[in-house]
Amino acid sequence: MQTQSRQPLTAPIRRKRFAQVAVFFMVWTVVISGRLIWIQIVKHHDWVERAAKQQQRTFEVAPRRGVLYDRNLRELAVTVLAESVYAVPTELGDNRENVADIISGIVHTDPTDTFTARNTILARLNASRNFAWIARKLNPEQVQRIRELNLKGVYLQKEYKRFYPNTDLASQTLGYVGLDDTGLGGLEQEFEDELHGAPGHVLTAVDAKRHALGSEEREPLPGENLVLTLDANIQHMAEQALDRQMEKFKAAHGTVVVQDPHTGQILALAIAPRYNPNDLKHQDPAILKNLAVSDIYEPGSTFKLVTYSAALDGAGVQPTDIVDCQGGAMTMYGRTLHDDKSDHFGRVTVKYALEHSSDVGAAKMALKLGNSKFYDYIRGFGFGDRTGVELPSETRGLLRAPRKWGATSILSIAIGQEIGVTPIQLVSMVSSIANGGTYLPPHVLLNASDYVKGDPHLQPAAFHPTTSLTSNLPDGTHRVISELTAAKMRMIMEGVVTEGTGSQARLNGYSSAGKTGTAEKVDPVTHTYSHTKLVASFAGFAPVNNPAISVAVVIDTPTVGTGYGGTTSAPVFAEVAQQILEYLGVPHDQPIHPPKPGDIPAHAPTMIAEDGPSEETGDLAALFAEANALPADDPLHGDVSGTAKPAQTAQVSTSASPSSKAASIFAALPQKILQAFREHGGSSLMPEEAAVQPMPKPQPSTIVRADGAVVVDASRKVAVPVFDGSGLRSAIEKAGTAGLRVQPVGSGLAREQMPAAGTMVPIGTEVVVRFGR
């Protein structure tokens, strides 16, 4: 029997299964390989960062900020160590609210500090996982209390803190820094890159329980140290003098700039009010800016130095030339320019016109030059452009091109209107005249260095006045006027102090020169010049022949006194210059007058009228009563004997009380005058009115009073003329025609009078008239 062979059935099945398994493993290998490539190659950097966050903790270490020194290496701004508190929120867990409560109770000592408030701290803890600041740069007591708490997840970190050892000294110039030590104002902002340095890092490895296993540090690179041109002692002198004058005149702002005229270096830049950069949280933001470079004002009569310098240099004018000031009024294209003095000038010398600040004289100097040439000299003195001083937010000022000037703009610019300048520009202009006619850009940076105080490579650079320009002049130096013109201007400016409006700038033992200025501010509401808001200024130098320093003083909106530059700013110049010259050991070029008990200081106020709005005075009625305090022998007193006493015996008893003196005056006046006095500002009740004696029979004879006035026929009465709108000369003529006299108050045009117009008064009565602009 034949047997059939069996066909193998398993081989195809095994091959199929093998193929399926092989394909599966191939796909698995490809997928795994792709995933590994994705993780280890494509996403390698991301996974490394995630691992680092879990395994490492990195801190940025702030660098030590550079030191700011004055020229004598006195530290003005330094960096000290302080400790800050931070937390790792993941370590706090559900304890975040308790931590915020506890720590805020320690660090939140200032109600205005929102950063350390409980809710703010808690918000930062909830917003982060690995790091959150709690409080920055604490005092040692707060640090010790937090350390004693030993809270889990709360740590201390050392940081640098900016400190100003002299508090508010030169605060606007030095500036200030933020919480992260970034410069936000002044030199701190201007030289942020140089001062800040490069930060360092601390890398700490941690285990799964966040325990530190070790650390690696990269040291920060400290910032550069800056040596400034400022002298801390001179800065202090300027600030103290400015503060006293600000307090005396209740002014809004004030600036004093002291410069070396032969190098352009700023020795002091004082601004008031100042702030304490160590306590910025409680400072008014309005006083943080540097007014010496960021704010402009109309310079007023100090700008006449530019006008006269240009005329002498570019138009051949000589100080002895005659200029016709036309009685104090000049009309051009329908505009009348008035002198701001009560006594108007006629034909005077150019020197006299500047010494006494004639607006008409200055305008005629500018007209000799013409618009284009005058503009070139203005630009040559540095106006209309930034000086380049190393301070942020400097403005170029306001100076329009001649093509944009109006028909009478040259008249306005000649007297310091229609132009805006900064105090730093003003002092640079004066220095140009002081050094012989060369403009030097101002600067406050002496040098930058990596060395610190005590290193022999860093030496102080004490200021020693020189008498000539140095060979290493800064960029931007150029000649503005000739040396001869500068010498003539120095001579005229000395006359301003000795003979003119700047008498209060006189020094003891030193000659001085300068120019006063009083400018009206524009009222932002009416867009017209305000008669009450003024800017008083004085710019000058000393000594005259070999100037050691130039000083500009600008006081904004004084509310007490006249507001004139001669009475408000010139005394500051005198005080500052006197102290600085003696501090520097500058040889005296004038006799020294030691003060004696009871002597009036050399710079005591004098009654020299200055250009500018008139000073507000008291009640005109009181002035009228004072002006008409008649001597005992005057017929208006009512001598019962009817006989006039000799004029030489006419005296007012100084022992009489004010009330009896006033009573005798009022008793002598007719009823109509008394009634008019009541109606126009006087008291409604006269002193001792019941005791008024009847008027005596008038004497027809001529009486000569002790003050030289002549009273004729007291029985005659005349009506008081209308003085409103009249100038001083016109008012005197009107009063003289009527047989009256004028007691002027202020300058400008008549605005108010006592007695009122139309009042019947005896011949010889003195009428008080207030003048203003």
Side-chain angles (χ1 to χ4, degrees):
M1 179 175 176
Q2 190 175 0
T3 306
Q4 296 181 346
S5 59
R6 297 180 62 183
Q7 300 294 327
L9 301 176
T10 58
I13 295 175
R14 290 175 179 174
R15 286 196 297 270
K16 184 177 180 180
R17 289 178 178 175
F18 177 77
Q20 291 174 342
V21 172
V23 170
F24 171 78
F25 276 104
M26 289 177 63
V27 172
W28 180 82
T29 302
V30 170
V31 172
I32 293 298
S33 299
R35 182 62 178 169
L36 291 175
I37 292 173
W38 177 259
I39 293 175
Q40 297 186 10
I41 298 178
V42 178
K43 290 292 184 180
H44 173 77
H45 183 70
D46 294 341
W47 287 105
V48 168
E49 287 186 351
R50 292 178 65 177
K53 290 180 180 179
Q54 294 178 356
Q55 302 167 12
Q56 298 174 347
R57 183 179 301 155
T58 303
F59 301 101
E60 182 177 281
V61 180
R64 179 184 290 273
R65 195 170 179 86
V67 181
L68 293 178
Y69 296 106
D70 83 335
R71 63 187 310 125
N72 298 311
L73 298 187
R74 179 174 178 176
E75 293 163 332
L76 303 178
V78 298
T79 298
V80 297
L81 279 174
E83 292 196 84
S84 299
V85 184
Y86 71 93
V88 180
T90 54
E91 297 183 21
L92 298 179
D94 297 332
N95 200 33
R96 299 180 184 182
E97 292 190 4
N98 291 335
V99 169
D101 287 336
I102 295 173
I103 297 185
S104 64
I106 298 174
V107 300
H108 188 57
T109 57
D110 183 1
T112 62
D113 184 9
T114 58
F115 186 81
T116 57
R118 186 258 185 196
N119 293 335
T120 308
I121 294 175
L122 183 59
R124 290 197 297 271
L125 295 177
N126 292 330
S128 177
R129 289 176 52 84
N130 298 314
F131 183 88
W133 282 116
I134 294 180
R136 306 283 297 276
K137 302 175 182 178
L138 304 176
N139 61 52
E141 295 180 0
Q142 293 172 325
V143 171
Q144 183 61 29
R145 292 180 61 185
I146 293 175
R147 184 177 282 114
E148 292 173 351
L149 292 174
N150 195 25
L151 296 173
K152 179 182 177 181
V154 177
Y155 304 94
L156 293 170
Q157 172 68 36
K158 289 187 181 297
E159 288 191 286
Y160 287 119
K161 178 181 180 180
R162 200 62 162 169
F163 178 68
Y164 301 87
N166 304 294
T167 59
D168 64 350
L169 185 77
S171 55
Q172 283 90 348
T173 303
L174 300 179
Y176 55 97
V177 300
L179 196 60
D180 57 354
D181 263 6
T182 300
L184 300 178
L187 291 166
E188 298 277 24
Q189 178 183 349
E190 183 72 10
F191 294 98
E192 167 60 21
D193 294 340
E194 292 81 358
L195 289 168
H196 191 81
H201 292 85
V202 176
L203 180 64
T204 304
V206 295
D207 59 13
K209 295 184 179 181
R210 313 299 292 177
H211 295 153
L213 301 178
S215 63
E216 179 183 346
E217 297 185 10
R218 189 182 74 187
E219 291 294 330
L221 298 177
E224 288 186 287
N225 305 313
L226 303 184
V227 180
L228 309 181
T229 63
L230 301 180
D231 185 312
N233 293 324
I234 296 178
Q235 178 74 27
H236 179 72
M237 296 173 192
E239 289 183 353
Q240 292 300 304
L242 179 61
D243 289 346
R244 283 189 286 269
Q245 202 74 343
M246 289 280 292
E247 175 64 24
K248 179 179 179 180
F249 289 96
K250 310 298 180 185
H253 305 285
T255 305
V256 174
V257 187
V258 183
Q259 186 181 40
D260 174 12
H262 295 101
T263 63
Q265 296 177 7
I266 301 298
L267 303 176
L269 205 164
I271 297 173
R274 292 180 298 282
Y275 63 91
N276 182 2
N278 294 319
D279 186 23
L280 281 176
K281 292 182 293 186
H282 300 94
Q283 305 301 322
D284 183 1
I287 66 175
L288 299 181
K289 64 180 179 179
N290 193 328
L291 301 178
V293 297
S294 63
D295 273 20
I296 63 174
Y297 73 101
E298 286 191 347
S301 293
T302 53
F303 196 77
K304 293 174 184 175
L305 296 177
V306 177
T307 306
Y308 280 81
S309 295
L312 266 63
D313 193 73
V317 175
Q318 298 299 322
T320 55
D321 288 351
I322 299 298
V323 56
D324 186 2
C325 296
Q326 303 179 196
M330 170 185 173
T331 301
M332 178 177 174
Y333 295 110
R335 175 190 172 185
T336 301
L337 181 68
H338 292 278
D339 273 345
D340 293 331
K341 298 176 68 67
S342 57
D343 50 341
H344 304 311
F345 304 115
R347 293 173 57 82
V348 297
T349 63
V350 170
K351 179 178 183 292
Y352 188 92
L354 179 56
E355 289 174 349
H356 295 79
S357 200
S358 169
D359 286 354
V360 175
K364 289 197 171 184
M365 294 299 104
L367 290 173
K368 288 180 177 291
L369 292 161
N371 291 5
S372 180
K373 200 170 186 179
F374 186 30
Y375 174 80
D376 291 340
Y377 274 100
I378 295 172
R379 290 300 302 267
F381 277 109
F383 298 103
D385 200 3
R386 295 182 179 89
T387 64
V389 67
E390 303 93 340
L391 291 169
S393 305
E394 184 187 11
T395 177
R396 65 179 66 250
L398 175 63
L399 175 62
R400 296 173 297 158
R403 66 178 182 275
K404 297 182 180 179
W405 290 8
T408 61
S409 290
I410 190 171
L411 304 183
S412 298
I413 297 175
I415 61 175
Q417 296 179 352
E418 291 189 29
I419 183 172
V421 307
T422 64
I424 205 81
Q425 290 176 331
L426 182 66
V427 75
S428 298
M429 177 269 291
V430 173
S431 291
S432 300
I433 299 174
N435 67 31
T438 301
Y439 174 80
L440 297 173
H443 56 101
V444 295
L445 177 64
L446 205 56
N447 60 69
S449 173
D450 292 329
Y451 302 110
V452 296
K453 184 178 180 180
D455 192 298
H457 293 90
L458 185 64
Q459 295 296 323
F463 174 62
H464 299 290
T466 59
T467 58
S468 60
L469 298 177
T470 61
S471 57
N472 186 21
L473 296 176
D475 294 338
T477 300
H478 59 269
R479 177 163 293 281
V480 188
I481 56 177
S482 68
E483 291 188 14
L484 181 59
T485 300
K488 294 175 181 177
M489 285 300 300
R490 289 196 296 269
M491 179 266 296
I492 298 175
M493 292 170 66
E494 183 179 15
V496 173
V497 175
T498 58
E499 306 291 339
T501 60
S503 62
Q504 294 196 46
R506 294 175 184 169
L507 307 179
N508 185 10
Y510 298 100
S511 60
S512 59
K515 182 69 186 77
T516 58
T518 308
E520 296 173 329
K521 299 179 66 174
V522 176
D523 192 321
V525 178
T526 62
H527 300 286
T528 59
Y529 284 106
S530 171
H531 298 306
T532 57
K533 296 181 179 179
L534 310 175
V535 179
S537 58
F538 184 91
F541 49 83
V544 175
N545 292 327
N546 295 301
I549 54 170
S550 299
V551 183
V553 182
V554 180
I555 296 183
D556 187 2
T557 320
T559 58
V560 176
T562 64
Y564 291 161
T567 56
T568 305
S569 297
V572 180
F573 168 87
E575 181 177 350
V576 171
Q578 186 77 41
Q579 293 184 30
I580 294 175
L581 294 177
E582 293 175 352
Y583 163 71
L584 297 175
V586 177
H588 293 277
D589 65 340
Q590 296 284 332
I592 300 176
H593 303 288
K596 299 178 181 179
D599 280 356
I600 299 176
H603 54 274
T606 56
M607 299 306 292
I608 295 182
E610 187 187 349
D611 51 320
S614 61
E615 176 189 3
E616 290 299 321
T617 56
D619 186 10
L620 286 185
L623 293 175
F624 172 70
E626 181 69 22
N628 291 279
L630 305 178
D633 64 335
D634 196 290
L636 294 180
H637 261 302
D639 185 6
V640 292
S641 65
T643 306
K645 297 179 181 179
Q648 60 267 24
T649 62
Q651 296 180 355
V652 179
S653 174
T654 56
S655 62
S657 65
S659 59
S660 61
K661 179 180 178 180
S664 62
I665 295 171
F666 289 123
L669 296 177
Q671 188 61 33
K672 286 186 177 181
I673 296 181
L674 298 180
Q675 183 63 30
F677 181 77
R678 296 188 182 97
E679 294 175 356
H680 298 279
S683 173
S684 59
L685 294 177
M686 301 301 167
E688 301 178 359
E689 194 166 21
V692 175
Q693 298 181 359
M695 289 294 295
K697 181 179 179 180
Q699 301 296 321
S701 58
T702 299
I703 304 298
V704 180
R705 286 174 38 176
D707 59 0
V710 179
V711 181
V712 182
D713 195 357
S715 62
R716 293 180 54 196
K717 297 176 183 177
V718 295
V720 177
V722 177
F723 297 118
D724 187 37
S726 302
L728 177 61
R729 179 171 299 179
S730 176
I732 293 175
E733 291 175 352
K734 290 181 181 179
T737 303
L740 305 175
R741 295 178 298 139
V742 171
Q743 173 66 46
V745 179
S747 62
L749 300 179
R751 302 299 183 193
E752 200 174 352
Q753 66 184 78
M754 180 65 198
T759 304
M760 300 301 294
V761 297
I763 290 179
T765 300
E766 195 163 16
V767 181
V768 179
V769 182
R770 174 180 287 140
F771 295 84
R773 298 189 67 193

